[in-house]
Amino acid sequence: MVKHTATSVVTIDRFIIEQERMHPAATGQLSDILYDVALAAKLITNKVRRAGLVDILGALDSENVQGEIQQKLDVFANETIVKAMDHGGRLCAMASEEEPELIPIPEQFRCGNYVLAFDPLDGSSNIDVNVPVGTIFSVLRKITRGVRGELEDVLQPGRRQVAAGYIIYGSSTMLVYTTGHGVHGFTLDPSIGEFLLSHPDIRIPTRGRYLSVNDSYEQHWDENVKALMRRYRGLDGQQKAMSVRYVGSLVADFHRNLLGGGVFAYPSNTQSPNGKLRLLYECNPLAFVVQQAGGSATNGVQDIMDLAPTELHQRSPLYIGSKDDIETAREFLSRKVA
Ligand code: AHM
Ligand code: MG
């Protein structure tokens, strides 16, 4: 990696170019995908930042008064990403949490060698209460032979991702991504409309401070999950208690734990045996990011990135974060349930 000092101003575009130059065989297609993701992130930021103003401004805006229905932000984010990405000639198909089927590239556009899976606005129910939300994305190489992408191209294990990351729309907007050469974070400077390198080579501490889990499901957890949570909370006297922090917005919880260390867990429970989170565009991309930062991710039994997906919207239990804390999860969750 090209070393930048703390005072260098490095835009995301320059960083992507520098990374590409280090791989002489690179065609530039992946770089173009990342540029387009960054552009979509700026457009979505703009809209998210005005979320609370919609009703006030809407009342002053004649078009809105005449009954134009405000588009929901998650629908807007979905369309923004599709429109930013579909014509670049780099992708052969897309998959989104917002759309039941594979999203084809329109006939009039060329197809490329990659597929993109994304959650356009995760945690969007939090918008109304001004809590951070995020976009999560995963890029895979096409494996089928035809020109257009097929379902099989998206249904690949996370281990085959070539890039992944997320955008957090928080007190500032940040884009964090990996192409398998470390994890790098960029903060959007709204005054110049540029993402600037702010967190080069992020490393997650091997043990963490934070535990993020929704323990209102405790009554539905199996005994192993209950015992694991007691361990994390220091209740069995075997380790220092972790601090519980749960925003309920995956990107926000993950981002905090990536920087400060810790675990995010969404276990299976008797009501949802596969938890809630989606493998292709929530678990896999964050698993790639955390692995590149020195952490790991499991469903309790297998590494997240080794799971072989069979469905576009399949769910998986998720334990993700600091390496040693996830090792503890593996230990507890592999025990035979009495
Ligand atoms: P969504 O994709 O419908 O927004 O749901 C995903 C969100 C995550 O951001 C968050 O981690 C989780 O749901 C919270 O779920 P719960 O309220 O069950 O704890
Ligand atoms: Mg989601």
Side-chain angles (χ1 to χ4, degrees):
M1 193 177 76
V2 178
K3 286 278 172 224
H4 296 288
T5 66
T7 52
S8 334
V9 176
V10 182
T11 63
I12 194 166
D13 290 13
R14 181 171 149 205
F15 189 86
I16 292 169
I17 291 172
E18 284 175 359
Q19 292 253 309
E20 191 189 306
R21 283 195 193 126
M22 282 161 28
H23 302 92
T27 60
Q29 290 206 14
L30 189 56
S31 299
D32 289 348
I33 292 170
L34 295 170
Y35 295 140
D36 289 344
V37 167
L39 172 66
K42 289 184 209 171
L43 296 168
I44 297 168
T45 297
N46 223 16
K47 197 82 166 182
V48 168
R49 292 274 172 260
R50 294 171 65 80
L53 298 169
V54 162
D55 292 342
I56 304 167
L57 300 181
L60 298 172
D61 176 336
S62 59
E63 273 191 26
N64 278 310
V65 172
Q66 280 158 26
E68 184 188 291
I69 299 164
Q70 280 297 334
Q71 209 176 17
K72 279 185 67 196
L73 272 170
D74 41 12
V75 177
F76 171 84
N78 186 55
E79 285 179 7
T80 301
I81 296 173
V82 171
K83 292 290 163 239
M85 312 292 306
D86 67 358
H87 59 282
R90 307 312 186 198
L91 298 176
C92 61
M94 288 181 260
S96 162
E97 178 174 322
E98 286 290 321
E99 308 219 8
E101 312 288 345
L102 196 68
I103 307 166
I105 299 300
E107 285 296 329
Q108 68 268 33
F109 301 132
R110 274 186 307 120
C111 275
N113 294 331
Y114 294 94
V115 278
L116 177 78
F118 60 95
D119 183 349
L121 208 60
D122 185 71
S124 51
S125 58
N126 287 320
I127 292 260
D128 291 350
V129 290
N130 232 329
V131 159
V133 288
T135 297
I136 314 173
F137 65 94
S138 161
V139 184
L140 289 154
R141 206 169 266 120
K142 180 172 181 292
I143 50 169
T144 57
R145 284 162 176 259
V147 175
R148 307 267 137 193
E150 295 171 36
L151 195 55
E152 208 185 317
D153 293 311
V154 191
L155 298 183
Q156 300 187 59
R159 200 64 72 193
R160 300 219 190 113
Q161 291 171 105
V162 291
Y166 60 87
I167 297 113
I168 176 166
Y169 309 98
S171 41
S172 34
T173 295
M174 274 193 75
L175 192 158
V176 176
Y177 81 92
T178 183
T179 53
H181 304 280
V183 179
H184 311 288
F186 301 80
T187 302
L188 181 64
D189 181 339
S191 63
I192 54 170
E194 293 274 12
F195 277 105
L196 303 178
L197 181 64
S198 51
H199 296 65
D201 203 14
I202 296 170
R203 305 296 298 168
I204 184 169
T206 42
R207 267 206 189 275
R209 279 185 283 164
Y210 302 119
L211 168 64
S212 306
V213 67
N214 183 346
D215 56 13
S216 65
Y217 299 115
E218 182 169 2
Q219 55 185 315
H220 306 296
W221 289 340
D222 73 27
E223 292 309 316
N224 286 349
V225 177
K226 286 182 189 166
L228 172 65
M229 296 303 158
R230 285 177 56 77
R231 167 66 59 89
Y232 283 152
R233 287 159 178 268
L235 296 174
D236 66 0
Q238 299 297 308
Q239 73 166 62
K240 194 163 162 269
M242 296 166 87
S243 286
V244 177
R245 298 276 188 282
Y246 193 71
V247 175
S249 197
L250 174 61
V251 172
D253 283 312
F254 178 81
H255 183 70
R256 180 204 331 94
N257 295 359
L258 182 70
L259 298 182
V263 175
F264 173 93
Y266 205 111
S268 59
N269 66 58
T270 49
Q271 300 191 317
S272 351
N274 291 315
K276 178 181 186 188
L277 302 172
R278 317 292 183 125
L279 178 59
L280 290 177
Y281 41 78
E282 292 178 327
C283 304
N284 269 341
L286 298 184
F288 190 21
V289 169
V290 88
Q291 180 241 349
Q292 282 293 313
S296 64
T298 177
N299 68 355
V301 181
Q302 270 180 286
D303 277 13
I304 288 291
M305 289 198 286
D306 287 334
L307 299 172
T310 53
E311 284 170 39
L312 213 49
H313 299 290
Q314 122 182 27
R315 297 173 197 270
S316 169
L318 178 67
Y319 300 81
I320 189 166
S322 293
K323 205 175 179 60
D324 291 354
D325 295 317
I326 298 303
E327 200 41 54
T328 306
R330 279 200 191 95
E331 215 177 278
F332 275 77
L333 298 170
S334 59
R335 292 177 182 173
K336 280 209 161 50
V337 181

